[in-house]
């Protein structure tokens, strides 16, 4: 890890951990911030129903994906730029912040005025030109770990963003590829405390893509809180069986409600007593 010692993201570069602030929402020490919403926005109605529900249950940021990276070119690719008006409607109807994935500079140009947080997905973690581009923005970036990336590669990808001028970076552990395929990926739970030893940046966990199974999402989410994560990004759908993408790993409203209650209770055991504070404080 010697190569990291001269980086800007290195833990001892600062004498405090970074809290990424975005309007009324904080990511970092003392906070446990929940981002929730469908894998992809499918239509206006399901997006608004989901947004209102997850907000009521304590999420402070809405997953608002319009562009989807799919393994098959014949799978649903997201509703694309037509979805921008849906994002604006959710903004008008809720206090949720919006976050969305960009796969290219073109997507960024379409979304930038309409979202609060930009997500770089696993498949683009080492797209260095895109990292440099988002490094010039004045908006927080969620950087997801590449599915076959070491922690060092992950951190050096974050360094590209920081070195381009953007210090508002949230790291996201989303599972890595391993030999077992019972789960979609293997949640590297120790990535959370390891990253916290190495960097001052906030770390969140994606229990949805790391498991691929809705039945395992609550366990992964609770393990993330216990391991010291600063939040979650979690797929919630009003009717997972009919979802156009990732229905198997999306949890329904009822499961999300139970999980949020459990997280609330767990947070009092760990030093995350300000869980959901960012939602309650406005
Ligand atoms: C997502 O969060 O929508 C996604 C595609 O996840 P990942 O980039 O981790 O595969
Ligand atoms: Mn998904």
């Amino acid at each position: 890890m010697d190569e990291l010692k001269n980086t800007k993201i290195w833990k001892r570069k600062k004498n405090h951990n970074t809290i990424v602030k975005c309007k009324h929402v904080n990511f970092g020490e003392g906070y446990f911030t929940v981002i929730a919403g469908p894998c992809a926005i499918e239509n206006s109605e399901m997006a608004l129903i989901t947004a209102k529900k997850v907000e009521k249950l304590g999420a402070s940021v809405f997953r608002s994906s319009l562009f989807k990276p799919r393994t098959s070119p014949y799978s649903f690719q997201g509703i694309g730029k037509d979805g921008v008006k849906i994002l604006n409607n959710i903004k008008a109807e809720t206090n949720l912040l919006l976050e969305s994935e960009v796969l290219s500079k073109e997507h960024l140009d379409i979304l930038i005025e309409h979202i609060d947080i930009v997500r770089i997905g696993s498949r683009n973690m080492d797209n260095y030109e895109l990292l440099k581009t988002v490094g010039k923005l004045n908006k927080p970036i969620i950087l997801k770990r590449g599915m076959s990336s070491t922690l060092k590669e992950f951190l050096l990808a974050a360094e590209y963003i920081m070195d381009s001028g953007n210090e508002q970076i949230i790291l996201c552990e989303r599972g890595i590829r391993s030999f077992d395929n019972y789960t979609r990926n293997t949640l590297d739970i120790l990535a959370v405390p390891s990253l916290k030893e190495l960097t001052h940046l906030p770390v969140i966990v994606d229990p949805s893509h790391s498991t691929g199974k809705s039945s395992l999402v609550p366990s992964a989410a609770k393990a993330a809180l216990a391991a010291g994560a600063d939040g979650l990004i979690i797929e919630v759908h009003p009717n997972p069986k009919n979802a156009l993408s990732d229905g198997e790993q999306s949890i329904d409203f009822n499961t999300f409600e139970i999980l949020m209650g459990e997280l609330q209770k767990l947070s009092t055991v760990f030093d995350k007593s300000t869980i959901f504070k960012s939602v309650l404080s406005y």
Side-chain angles (χ1 to χ4, degrees):
M1 293 285 173
D2 271 5
E3 204 178 341
L4 292 174
K5 289 193 176 140
N6 293 321
T7 58
K8 299 182 175 76
I9 47 101
W10 183 244
K11 178 88 172 174
R12 275 167 291 279
K13 196 79 188 170
K14 291 170 106 184
N15 53 13
H16 60 89
N17 285 328
T18 294
I19 293 185
V20 173
K21 289 185 195 302
C22 187
K23 300 183 178 165
H24 55 275
V25 174
N26 294 314
F27 288 87
E29 229 156 57
Y31 297 92
F32 192 77
T33 308
V34 177
I35 303 169
C39 175
I41 287 188
E42 297 167 6
N43 58 58
S44 172
E45 196 192 357
M46 68 78 80
L48 195 59
I49 291 172
T50 311
K52 287 189 168 168
K53 190 73 181 177
V54 298
E55 180 178 39
K56 190 165 165 238
L57 296 174
S60 43
V61 185
F62 190 57
R63 262 189 71 99
S64 315
S65 301
L66 301 184
F67 302 101
K68 294 304 304 169
R70 303 305 301 281
T71 305
S72 165
Y74 307 116
S75 301
F76 174 59
Q77 305 282 312
I79 59 172
K81 63 177 170 14
D82 289 347
V84 163
K85 52 185 183 303
I86 301 177
L87 302 190
N88 292 338
N89 190 32
I90 294 168
K91 271 236 123 95
E93 297 275 332
T94 70
N95 276 311
L96 290 163
L97 300 191
L98 303 184
E99 71 84 57
S100 198
E101 178 167 356
V102 299
L103 304 168
S104 63
K105 168 90 173 55
E106 191 193 348
H107 293 168
L108 197 57
D109 292 341
I110 293 167
L111 289 170
I112 196 66
E113 297 301 322
H114 308 279
I115 60 174
D116 303 291
I117 302 174
V118 175
R119 178 172 11 109
I120 301 291
S122 191
R123 290 156 190 79
N124 273 309
M125 187 211 82
D126 49 15
N127 181 341
Y128 301 119
E129 289 309 309
L130 190 58
L131 298 179
K132 286 191 251 175
T133 301
V134 298
K136 295 192 183 80
L137 299 175
N138 185 20
K139 287 204 181 199
I141 311 298
I142 293 174
L143 178 64
K144 297 187 89 173
R145 181 181 183 179
M147 58 189 85
S148 304
S149 302
T150 63
L151 292 185
K152 183 174 164 184
E153 288 161 347
F154 187 21
L155 288 169
L156 288 172
E159 184 73 6
Y160 266 97
I161 300 174
M162 192 165 288
D163 189 48
S164 303
N166 190 346
E167 304 197 348
Q168 305 172 77
I169 304 165
I170 301 154
L171 300 173
C172 178
E173 161 59 35
R174 50 76 73 203
I176 49 175
R177 288 210 154 160
S178 74
F179 55 87
D180 190 43
N181 60 4
Y182 180 66
T183 53
R184 181 176 180 179
N185 290 287
T186 296
L187 174 58
D188 181 8
I189 197 69
L190 286 184
V192 176
S194 302
L195 288 167
K196 286 185 159 282
E197 276 177 9
L198 296 167
T199 175
H200 52 82
L201 295 171
V203 180
I204 64 170
V205 167
D206 177 341
S208 309
H209 293 87
S210 57
T211 60
K213 284 184 160 67
S214 57
S215 62
L216 299 180
V217 166
S219 300
K222 288 177 277 186
L225 171 58
D230 300 302
L232 299 169
I233 175 166
I234 179 162
E235 289 184 341
V236 180
H237 193 283
N239 188 356
K241 282 197 175 59
N242 292 339
L244 297 182
S245 57
D246 284 350
E248 332 74 64
Q249 68 191 35
S250 300
I251 58 171
D252 60 20
F253 293 166
N254 190 38
T255 308
F256 185 64
E257 180 164 9
I258 295 167
L259 173 61
M260 291 300 267
E262 290 176 338
L263 291 170
Q264 183 79 65
K265 276 190 227 149
L266 259 185
S267 70
T268 59
V269 178
F270 298 96
D271 67 346
K272 291 286 185 186
S273 52
T274 51
I275 187 171
F276 312 148
K277 181 176 166 188
S278 49
V279 193
L280 301 174
S281 63
Y282 64 87

